[in-house]
C-alpha cells in the first residue's frame, strides 16, 4: 500500500461528509465497521489518512463482525485480513462472533443478520468508548435500498433512504424493519450513533481510490448470489439505470 494522502478526492469527500453531514467533531472516538470488502477497506484507509491531522485528532477503532453464515475458512481469512490491516495502520482492533445457526433459523435471514450485527457493533463501541459507529454504505447501496423499498411497497417515509446519521434504538425494537430503524442497538447504550459518511460516493469511486493507493481487499462471493434481491438489483438493474 502506498502512502495514503488526505488530499485524495475520495478522502476529501468522505471527510467533508463526516463533519458536515454526520456531525463528527475533532477529537472523537470512532468504531469503524470493517468487513474486509472494498467499501469498508476504503472507509478505513480514508479515515486513517485524515485522523491524525490537527483539524481532526480522531481516535479510530476497527470493529469486525464474524457472522458464521458461510464457510469458516472464508470468515477466518476475512477476520485475519482486517486485523492485519488495522495493525499495519496502528489502530485498535476488536471483533465479535454472531450465532450463525440462530440467524439462519430466522424467517428473514438478512434482517436477522443486520440486527445481530448492529447489536454486536454497539457492544464493541461501548467497549472501546466510542460514541460513533461508522459504516461504509455508499451511493449505490442507497439506490439499491430505495429500489428494494419501492418494490416492497414502502410508505413515503421509507422512501427517504438511509440517513447520514441515526441514533441506534434499544435492543428488540424495530423488529422486522431493521433497514429503516437500523433495527437494533444495545440494551443500555442509547447514546451510540450510526453514521454513513460515504453516501456521496459510489462503488466505482471506492475501487478507483483503492487502486490509486495500491490497497487490496477481500471479495464476498455471497454478493454474487442473485437469488438475493439486493444482489439481483446490483447485477441486473443498476447497470441498466446507469446506461
Amino acid at each position: 500500500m502506498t502512502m495514503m494522502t488526505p488530499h485524495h478526492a475520495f478522502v476529501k469527500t468522505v471527510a467533508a461528509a463526516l463533519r458536515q453531514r454526520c456531525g463528527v467533531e475533532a477529537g472523537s472516538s470512532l468504531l469503524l465497521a470493517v468487513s474486509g470488502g472494498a467499501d469498508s477497506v476504503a472507509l478505513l484507509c480514508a479515515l486513517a489518512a485524515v485522523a491524525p491531522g490537527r483539524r481532526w485528532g480522531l481516535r479510530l477503532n476497527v470493529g469486525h463482525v464474524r457472522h458464521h453464515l458461510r464457510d469458516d475458512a472464508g470468515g477466518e481469512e476475512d477476520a485475519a485480513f482486517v486485523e492485519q490491516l488495522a495493525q499495519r495502520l496502528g489502530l485498535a482492533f476488536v471483533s465479535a462472533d454472531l450465532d450463525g445457526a440462530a440467524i439462519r433459523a430466522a424467517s428473514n435471514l438478512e434482517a436477522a443478520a443486520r440486527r445481530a450485527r448492529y447489536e454486536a457493533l454497539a457492544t464493541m463501541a461501548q467497549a472501546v468508548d466510542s460514541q460513533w459507529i461508522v459504516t461504509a454504505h455508499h451511493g449505490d447501496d442507497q439506490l439499491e435500498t430505495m429500489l428494494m423499498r419501492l418494490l416492497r411497497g414502502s410508505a413515503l417515509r421509507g422512501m427517504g433512504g438511509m440517513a447520514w446519521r441515526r441514533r441506534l434504538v434499544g435492543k428488540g425494537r424495530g423488529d422486522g424493519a431493521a433497514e429503516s430503524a437500523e433495527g437494533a442497538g444495545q440494551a443500555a447504550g442509547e447514546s451510540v450513533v450510526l453514521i454513513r459518511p460515504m453516501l456521496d460516493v459510489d462503488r466505482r469511486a471506492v475501487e478507483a481510490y483503492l487502486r490509486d493507493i495500491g490497497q487490496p481487499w477481500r471479495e464476498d462471493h455471497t454478493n454474487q448470489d442473485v437469488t438475493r434481491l439486493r444482489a439481483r438489483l446490483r447485477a441486473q438493474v443498476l447497470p441498466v439505470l446507469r446506461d
Side-chain angles (χ1 to χ4, degrees), residues 3-227:
M3 183 177 294
M4 292 178 293
T5 170
H7 304 298
H8 193 285
F10 178 88
V11 177
K12 290 165 68 174
T13 298
V14 174
L18 192 70
R19 175 162 286 162
Q20 297 167 13
R21 296 282 198 167
C22 301
V24 174
E25 298 179 348
S28 296
S29 174
L30 281 62
L31 178 74
L32 312 186
V34 183
S35 67
D39 305 335
S40 60
V41 168
L43 171 70
L44 171 56
C45 292
L47 293 189
V50 299
R54 283 186 305 174
R55 296 182 60 230
W56 282 108
L58 300 174
R59 180 163 62 89
L60 304 183
N61 305 275
V62 178
H64 179 77
V65 178
R66 290 187 286 262
H67 295 77
H68 295 288
L69 295 176
R70 54 192 177 97
D71 66 279
D72 285 338
E76 291 303 315
E77 290 170 2
D78 290 348
F81 173 85
V82 175
E83 183 172 13
Q84 290 167 9
L85 179 56
Q87 290 175 347
R88 196 185 328 150
L89 295 171
L91 303 177
F93 173 81
V94 289
S95 63
D97 290 274
L98 304 185
D99 185 344
I103 294 172
R104 285 191 294 271
S107 57
N108 186 328
L109 187 148
E110 290 191 37
R114 185 164 50 245
R115 282 195 298 272
R117 178 168 62 253
Y118 281 132
E119 288 175 11
L121 288 169
T123 299
M124 286 190 283
Q126 284 187 305
V128 297
D129 195 27
S130 289
Q131 177 189 357
W132 309 93
I133 295 172
V134 192
T135 67
H137 295 107
H138 52 66
D140 287 356
D141 296 321
Q142 181 76 291
L143 178 55
E144 291 163 9
T145 296
M146 295 179 71
L147 288 172
M148 290 170 65
R149 292 178 181 177
L150 177 64
L151 292 171
R152 290 169 175 166
S154 174
L156 183 60
R157 179 182 178 185
M159 288 306 298
M162 294 183 288
W164 288 92
R165 56 178 286 163
R166 178 178 292 278
R167 193 172 301 278
L168 292 182
V169 298
K171 185 177 180 180
R173 296 171 61 186
D175 189 24
E179 190 75 29
S180 59
E182 302 314 333
Q186 72 271 14
E190 300 270 345
S191 63
V192 178
V193 178
L194 176 73
I195 57 175
R196 303 179 176 101
M198 284 175 47
L199 291 180
D200 267 346
V201 299
D202 60 18
R203 175 74 182 205
R204 288 178 290 187
V206 165
E207 294 189 1
Y209 168 61
L210 292 176
R211 286 193 296 270
D212 286 347
I213 64 171
Q215 172 60 52
W217 63 87
R218 298 276 298 171
E219 291 287 357
D220 182 355
H221 297 293
T222 61
N223 289 332
Q224 310 304 318
D225 179 8
V226 293
T227 63

